[in-house]
Amino acid sequence: MVPPPLPAIVPVTAEIRLAYVLGHFEEAYGSVPTVSIGYADTQPQIEVSATDHQFFAGTHPYPPEPNWREWAGQRLPFFFDGSPARPLLELLPDGRARVNADVVSAAFYLLSGWQEFFSAERDQHGRFPYASSVQARYGFVAVPVVNHYFDLLKTAVEHVTAQPLRARRWAGGAHWAAFITHDIDNLNSAWKAPAKAALRRGNLLDFGRQLWRHFTQKDAWDNLELVQQTVAEYGAKSTFFFLPEHRKAANGTPNADYSIRAIQPNIAALQAAGAEVQLHASIGTSIDSTQLAQAVTALARTPGTEPGLRFHYLQWEPRLTPLVVDGLAFEYDSTLGFAEHYGFRNSYCLPFQLFNFRTGQANDFLEIPLNVMDATLHHPRYLQLAPDEILPALTPMLQEIERFGGVCTVLWHNENFDPANQRNGPAQFRVLMEYLRGRNVAFVNGQDVLVRSEMMRGKK
Ligand SMILES: [Zn+2]
């Protein structure tokens, strides 16, 4: 698919990059003492060396290759690093510090979503492909590089102020958080795959048995209560994203296999039991506000909650979707992860605001980045991890989120709570939940993340 043409954009000056990045830095650490951070022209206390500023005057999706440098015991990519022979950080005696790589520009590049905004690469669902990302090219998708850049800035601030800076805690004093979510695409289709397989084998008896079960018994994917109870066993709360569109998209891509009206009592029951209910927006709505507005009216969200959403198939058009989401006053989105790989699409493990290239400022809505999707772990086109490989594969990423006090967003579809799925099914979900609980995570829903972020931004 081809993206829409690039819109007119505001020139991304050094001041704009600084304001956007330092805003996020301050939010990450709560109260940052007044310290000036900037480029040499303003003679700040913490001077960031300026490099290759022509890049941001252009529209190229990719910057020059990063240098790999060690920071706090870890090798990390540094984009816009013009003086690799000098130490990354110089702590100077007169209450000053110098950062010898342009971490502000590098953080801006990754956090803003620059690569996908300017790249014209899209897959068959209109998504920016993981294969086209710098994360894939340089192999750092499971490392929140922007948080590491902030750690470097934090060390500089601590030197200048002689005061320690700490990441804000989560509810109950927890160091990090997990956001457990379920996209509800299918409630009635568990019988289809085994029935088709029986037909393919020519086993009519078995086919007949599957059909009989379909017409006489509850479908194995009609399991919303089970999903909520499973999550609740870990002291966690679920956020459900429901899809009010059951007609297929024009290109044949399926939306829901259920009618939102028919399951209204089930949704009400989930809400009564404490679940958050939000919109799973159908194919095409990510570039069509009229269609998205209709979807909003079709869903009864949990009363008293701010509106949030996730797009079906993780559809996201960087040149349009942020505009559509802000235009309809959604408070949060949780679509931005790569379908093909777990990790960090914007190289950041805290909720953040995407950059609005039309205005030169941050977008209003909060992005709660998506880190782990069940389908990613085992899928013909994504990864093919064996069940016992899943947790070991995810652990380094989870450790990074814990280290930086971030939030780990997990998407586990209700259909993968079907015990018949032994690859990325309920047993594998439980292993992940046990890990999270064992590391004393705070289990949060979308509202919890939103309220905390607004507090830290001083909005409320
Ligand atoms: Zn979906």
Side-chain angles (χ1 to χ4, degrees):
M1 280 171 78
V2 182
L6 275 176
I9 61 167
V10 166
V12 179
T13 60
E15 291 71 37
I16 284 179
R17 295 196 295 280
L18 270 167
Y20 177 75
V21 169
L22 295 182
H24 282 93
F25 175 68
E26 280 166 23
E27 196 182 322
Y29 291 103
S31 50
V32 177
T34 320
V35 176
S36 52
I37 303 174
Y39 297 110
D41 55 348
T42 56
Q43 298 191 310
Q45 289 161 286
I46 298 170
E47 184 189 319
V48 177
S49 75
T51 324
D52 193 15
H53 280 180
Q54 279 314 300
F55 176 79
F56 293 100
T59 59
H60 199 275
Y62 307 112
E65 192 172 330
N67 292 326
W68 288 81
R69 301 230 214 185
E70 199 172 300
W71 172 252
Q74 208 162 331
R75 270 174 59 76
L76 300 162
F78 284 84
F79 294 95
F80 308 107
D81 175 13
S83 30
R86 305 181 72 164
L88 258 183
L89 179 61
E90 291 180 78
L91 300 175
L92 307 173
D94 52 346
R96 286 172 176 271
R98 190 181 299 127
V99 182
N100 288 312
D102 190 351
V103 292
V104 169
S105 290
F108 177 85
Y109 172 75
L110 293 166
L111 201 56
S112 67
W114 179 287
Q115 62 173 348
E116 47 189 291
F117 187 85
F118 289 103
S119 166
E121 296 291 327
R122 301 290 184 265
D123 70 7
Q124 77 271 31
H125 299 298
R127 306 177 298 196
F128 176 66
Y130 169 61
S132 301
S133 70
V134 288
Q135 285 86 353
R137 187 182 302 180
Y138 302 114
F140 64 88
V141 70
V143 182
V145 172
V146 174
N147 295 91
H148 286 272
Y149 296 159
F150 282 3
D151 186 60
L152 202 158
L153 286 179
K154 165 182 171 279
T155 308
V157 169
E158 288 174 333
H159 166 74
V160 167
T161 62
Q163 282 170 40
L165 211 55
R166 283 194 191 92
R168 278 272 179 98
R169 297 283 176 92
W170 290 83
H175 287 272
W176 64 313
F179 176 31
I180 308 301
T181 69
H182 318 287
D183 294 358
I184 310 303
D185 302 335
N186 297 301
L187 291 170
N188 304 310
S189 303
W191 67 283
K192 283 182 184 165
K196 275 184 197 160
L199 207 54
R200 232 179 288 122
R201 287 196 310 270
N203 188 338
L204 290 181
L205 187 66
D206 191 28
F207 176 69
R209 208 178 287 135
Q210 300 291 344
L211 265 190
W212 176 251
R213 273 181 50 185
H214 170 56
F215 286 114
T216 57
Q217 289 176 28
K218 193 171 140 163
D219 194 276
W221 293 353
D222 184 2
N223 59 358
L224 295 174
E225 212 184 333
L226 169 76
V227 171
Q228 186 176 39
Q229 283 167 359
T230 306
V231 171
E233 276 178 43
Y234 297 88
K237 37 191 171 183
S238 290
T239 299
F240 289 88
F241 293 95
F242 280 97
L243 190 49
E245 178 59 81
H246 65 270
R247 292 165 300 183
K248 279 186 182 174
N251 66 0
T253 309
N255 283 305
D257 79 342
Y258 59 89
S259 139
I260 193 86
R261 265 204 223 140
I263 63 155
Q264 217 48 255
N266 309 58
I267 295 181
L270 292 175
Q271 289 168 325
E276 179 176 335
V277 168
Q278 296 286 6
L279 176 66
H280 196 35
S282 60
I283 301 290
T285 52
S286 60
I287 53 169
D288 185 339
S289 338
T290 311
Q291 214 187 321
L292 185 59
Q294 285 165 359
V296 171
T297 59
L299 180 78
R301 281 188 300 105
T302 305
T305 59
E306 303 281 354
L309 84 171
R310 176 181 290 133
F311 289 95
H312 187 40
Y313 275 74
L314 308 185
Q315 274 200 326
W316 187 271
E317 171 44 59
R319 296 177 187 180
L320 277 181
T321 308
L323 205 66
V324 170
V325 171
D326 261 351
L328 288 171
F330 281 99
E331 293 289 341
Y332 79 83
D333 169 79
S334 187
T335 303
L336 288 185
F338 290 113
E340 305 94 320
H341 210 292
Y342 56 83
F344 309 99
R345 178 149 157 181
N346 295 73
S347 301
Y348 197 53
C349 68
L350 284 163
F352 69 101
Q353 291 163 289
L354 278 168
F355 185 72
N356 184 337
F357 289 92
R358 292 170 174 84
T359 64
Q361 291 174 335
N363 276 110
D364 280 341
F365 71 90
L366 187 71
E367 179 60 32
I368 311 176
L370 172 61
N371 307 111
V372 191
M373 174 168 80
D374 48 6
T376 304
L377 306 170
H378 197 95
H379 189 281
R381 287 197 310 277
Y382 306 153
L383 303 176
Q384 283 105 42
L385 296 172
D388 60 351
E389 289 172 340
I390 291 176
L391 187 62
L394 296 179
T395 300
M397 175 194 76
L398 297 169
Q399 287 170 337
E400 292 277 291
I401 302 175
E402 180 177 351
R403 172 179 169 189
F404 292 113
V407 54
C408 177
T409 304
V410 175
L411 160 52
W412 215 269
H413 292 79
N414 64 302
E415 55 201 66
N416 294 327
F417 284 80
D418 178 354
N421 180 350
Q422 296 179 349
R423 286 174 163 159
N424 48 359
Q428 290 71 44
F429 177 74
R430 284 181 177 280
V431 168
L432 178 56
M433 290 298 280
E434 267 151 38
Y435 176 93
L436 293 169
R437 186 175 58 182
R439 299 299 308 167
N440 298 315
V441 86
F443 285 108
V444 293
N445 63 18
Q447 299 307 298
D448 298 331
V449 178
L450 194 64
V451 166
R452 179 180 186 267
S453 253
E454 285 179 342
M455 250 171 52
M456 293 177 74
R457 288 207 303 261
K459 245 176 94 175
K460 276 181 187 166

